[in-house]
Amino acid sequence: MRFAAFGGPEVLEVVEMPTPEAGPGEVLVEVFATGLNPVESAIRRGDHPERWPVELPATEGRDLAGVVISTGPGAERFSRGDEVMGFVSHGAQATHVVVPEGNLMPRPPALSWEVAGSLYTAGTMAWSAVEGLQLGPSDTVVVTAAAGGVGCLAAQFARMRGATVVGTSVETRFDFLRQFGIIPTGYGEGLAERVRLLTPGPVTAFLDFLGGQTAAARELGVHPSRVLTVLDWDAVDEHGVMHVSPGDVVALGRVAALAAARRIRLPIADVFPLDAVADAYRALEKREAPGKIVLGLRVVGYAGQRVQEPELKEQDVTLGVLTPHAHMDVEEAVPPAVGDGSVRRRHREERARNA
């Protein structure tokens, strides 16, 4: 997947390229799943090129999970067939991608491919944000876009540390937020006032994963050193708020261990095929999805899963369509469950007399 011009999801195109080869210290991975992130939309639109420089045509995607196909010279940690998860600087939205060996870790069996392929950016940013602020039981933190991947995880990390969390979302996701112990409130004007009504004490931290919301943090009296943003570089430059970036594979390992132990959850909102990548980004950019939007590049079966192949859905096209067939007398075709069939013989004789 690549784009040759800046713009919306419509500029994305799927192109066929030769399968890359792993170089020294690299691993070739067949990608099974890769999560989408809002920062990728910002880069594709050409936002803040001084911060996110792009050379066109460009590829997208950082998070990935898949299977090792081959290894380059000097790459010794993984072998062909190993199941891995990790990240690249760009280009994860492809069937095959070359990854520096140090950017990968084994996929814990307890993690689905979709979660494993979506955990790096959201998980390590959320981890870095909460760890960096050293949140604790005395803190009340506002998390914007709290139903999204990074917001949902950051809220859970904050709750694990004992903090009170107020999360913004569309109203239809309020019950979703309550499942994680998050106090929900809506987007839009008047955020600071709504937060004051929901919390008895002062707000001590503010995590803006939506962008453009840090004015509410200033109105709430949160110090810039305790305001973190992912997308709002203007707030960083003008007001001195902090910017949070993804972490390394060590941070990914910590987050993956918590997810595998079910101490945190990363919900998967929807999975799209690669050729529907534009639709996947449109769904992401609505900022309404509960959890992660994922590209699934390979059909994966799980133990106990009854429907594994999408071809089974072909039956849908025949619903409501009459199928001609020869008449069959059910009483003649089905053997008697009890008795010698004399009752059915009497029924046939009665029908013959009435004919």
Side-chain angles (χ1 to χ4, degrees), residues 137-162:
S138 62
D139 284 302
T140 296
V141 57
V142 174
V143 178
T144 69
V150 62
C152 178
L153 290 174
Q156 290 177 74
F157 292 145
R159 293 282 297 143
M160 286 174 60
R161 284 175 160 266

Side-chain angles (χ1 to χ4, degrees), residues 113-132:
W113 288 104
E114 293 79 14
V115 170
S118 306
L119 200 56
Y120 167 68
T121 299
T124 62
M125 280 201 302
W127 177 269
S128 298
V130 173
E131 289 292 304

Side-chain angles (χ1 to χ4, degrees), residues 118-321:
S118 306
L119 200 56
Y120 167 68
T121 299
T124 62
M125 280 201 302
W127 177 269
S128 298
V130 173
E131 289 292 304
L133 291 175
Q134 297 184 332
L135 297 177
S138 62
D139 284 302
T140 296
V141 57
V142 174
V143 178
T144 69
V150 62
C152 178
L153 290 174
Q156 290 177 74
F157 292 145
R159 293 282 297 143
M160 286 174 60
R161 284 175 160 266
T164 299
V165 179
V166 177
T168 70
S169 178
V170 294
E171 189 172 354
T172 54
R173 302 303 179 200
F174 281 11
D175 283 343
F176 173 81
L177 296 186
R178 293 186 182 104
Q179 295 180 58
F180 299 99
I182 303 168
I183 303 169
T185 190
Y187 291 135
E189 296 293 329
L191 174 59
E193 183 59 30
R194 291 196 301 278
V195 170
R196 289 193 186 99
L197 294 174
L198 291 169
T199 57
V203 174
T204 58
F206 196 102
L207 304 181
D208 182 20
F209 300 127
L210 181 64
Q213 305 298 298
T214 55
R218 296 195 301 275
E219 191 175 344
L220 288 165
V222 183
H223 192 275
S225 65
R226 303 210 91 205
V227 180
L228 275 68
T229 185
V230 173
L231 301 170
D232 195 348
W233 285 108
D234 291 335
V236 173
D237 295 335
E238 296 173 15
H239 303 291
V241 307
M242 310 301 291
H243 181 264
V244 60
S245 299
D248 56 16
V249 75
V250 175
L252 176 60
R254 295 191 182 105
V255 175
L258 291 172
R262 302 292 190 266
R263 296 187 62 193
I264 59 169
R265 289 178 291 161
L266 178 59
I268 301 300
D270 209 347
V271 181
F272 290 78
L274 182 60
D275 59 6
V277 61
D279 290 335
Y281 271 104
R282 290 186 186 101
L284 174 76
E285 291 167 17
K286 289 181 180 179
R287 306 308 292 269
E288 297 178 358
K292 294 290 293 186
I293 300 289
V294 183
L295 291 181
L297 289 97
R298 180 161 175 172
V299 175
V300 179
Y302 297 99
Q305 180 176 318
R306 296 183 63 187
V307 178
Q308 298 185 4
E309 295 292 340
E311 288 76 9
L312 294 178
K313 293 185 178 181
E314 289 179 0
Q315 62 184 320
D316 294 345
V317 301
T318 66
L319 292 178
V321 178

